Amino acid sequence: MILVFLGPPGSGKGTQAKKVTAERGWPQLSTGDMLRSAIANGTKLGLEAKSFMDRGALVPDAVVIGLIAERVLSPDCKAGFILDGFPRTIPQAEALDLMLAELSQKVFMTVLFDIPDSELVSRLSGRRTCLKCGAMYHVVAASPKVEGICDACGAGLVQRDDDKEDVILKRLAVYHAQTAPVAGYYDSQRKLRKLDARLPQTEVLGHLKSLISN
Ligand code: AMP
């Protein structure tokens, strides 16, 4: 099953994707994680992407389309996967449909994580991320057992540069201008489902599971 998780930064789509992956085995394909790992490895692609990411802008479509086009060919994607943070523009959504058509596959459902901007600023500015395994915490709402250390892998936690308030506001503006129209793209294909991402994580997961199994 191929699922697209769509929503503004901080809406919880990455956290929920990890939970569904753990239960159902479909890998989580996060372009944000792929780009951060390219930056950590000092690759040319990472260097190119960093300047866009640091200022809250989108990385060029060709770069992220290339990453996903390669990743979907991996054997672990055969039974399905969850796209988290891709597509973020209409051209990316169109490129995804084309690449899946070549593999005789298609998006099964797009889930929109609906949440007002006012909630996102506090969620994102308190967020702490493990750059090694991608686990996410929040200084108030979901703190790790030992401050600054990832419960899952023991690596240090950081505040991402793009989780600082001025960049958050830019990312939200970019979301509304460039990514929100992607919901309309899937709605016109009758594949869009919405969930209330303000609810507690367990309720969001319950809603998600009922969407997937119906
Ligand atoms: P995320 O971890 O999904 O919030 O992504 C962090 C940053 O990576 C974004 O603010 C963009 O700069 C970049 N990025 C991630 N996914 C995409 C995408 N599909 N298209 C363009 N830029 C992306």
Side-chain angles (χ1 to χ4, degrees):
M1 185 181 287
I2 298 174
L3 300 171
V4 173
F5 284 7
L6 189 66
S11 57
K13 54 191 191 312
T15 301
Q16 295 294 341
K18 285 185 178 56
K19 291 178 195 287
V20 177
T21 294
E23 284 195 15
R24 307 294 288 257
W26 306 314
Q28 171 195 14
L29 275 48
S30 156
T31 38
D33 285 349
M34 291 177 198
L35 293 166
R36 279 183 291 279
S37 121
I39 292 173
N41 293 327
T43 66
K44 190 167 163 270
L45 187 148
L47 271 180
E48 189 192 334
K50 190 173 183 327
S51 62
F52 294 95
M53 293 168 77
D54 283 350
R55 60 190 154 89
L58 293 185
V59 171
D61 286 339
V63 173
V64 286
I65 290 168
L67 284 174
I68 290 293
E70 194 183 321
R71 182 66 182 87
V72 298
L73 300 177
S74 305
D76 67 329
C77 288
K78 270 230 163 84
F81 47 88
I82 304 169
L83 287 162
D84 159 24
F86 181 96
R88 258 176 156 102
T89 63
I90 300 279
Q92 290 179 24
E94 289 168 347
L96 176 65
D97 278 350
L98 281 178
M99 72 177 87
L100 292 180
E102 279 181 22
L103 301 170
S104 306
Q105 291 182 318
K106 52 186 166 189
V107 170
F108 176 76
M109 183 193 295
T110 297
V111 182
L112 176 63
F113 287 65
D114 205 16
I115 184 164
D117 284 6
S118 51
E119 285 228 8
L120 294 171
V121 180
S122 66
R123 277 196 184 193
L124 285 166
S125 55
R127 188 159 82 169
R128 298 294 178 268
T129 304
C130 174
L131 288 184
K132 192 168 173 211
C133 75
M136 278 181 286
Y137 301 85
H138 188 279
V139 285
V140 180
S143 55
K145 292 194 184 85
V146 179
E147 197 188 325
I149 304 293
C150 178
D151 292 347
C153 76
L157 301 178
V158 298
Q159 180 177 36
R160 283 168 37 181
D161 285 339
D162 61 349
D163 279 347
K164 296 186 177 148
E165 195 162 336
D166 53 332
V167 187
I168 292 171
L169 296 175
K170 175 75 196 301
R171 289 165 70 201
L172 290 176
V174 166
Y175 174 79
H176 290 295
Q178 292 179 265
T179 307
V182 175
Y185 178 88
Y186 287 113
D187 198 25
S188 66
Q189 295 185 1
R190 302 192 176 282
K191 288 182 178 168
L192 190 74
R193 304 288 179 273
K194 276 191 199 176
L195 59 74
D196 184 351
R198 287 171 306 183
L199 295 171
Q201 284 186 13
T202 47
E203 283 180 49
V204 174
L205 183 62
H207 190 174
L208 204 46
K209 282 192 199 164
S210 71
L211 285 176
I212 293 169
S213 48
N214 280 328

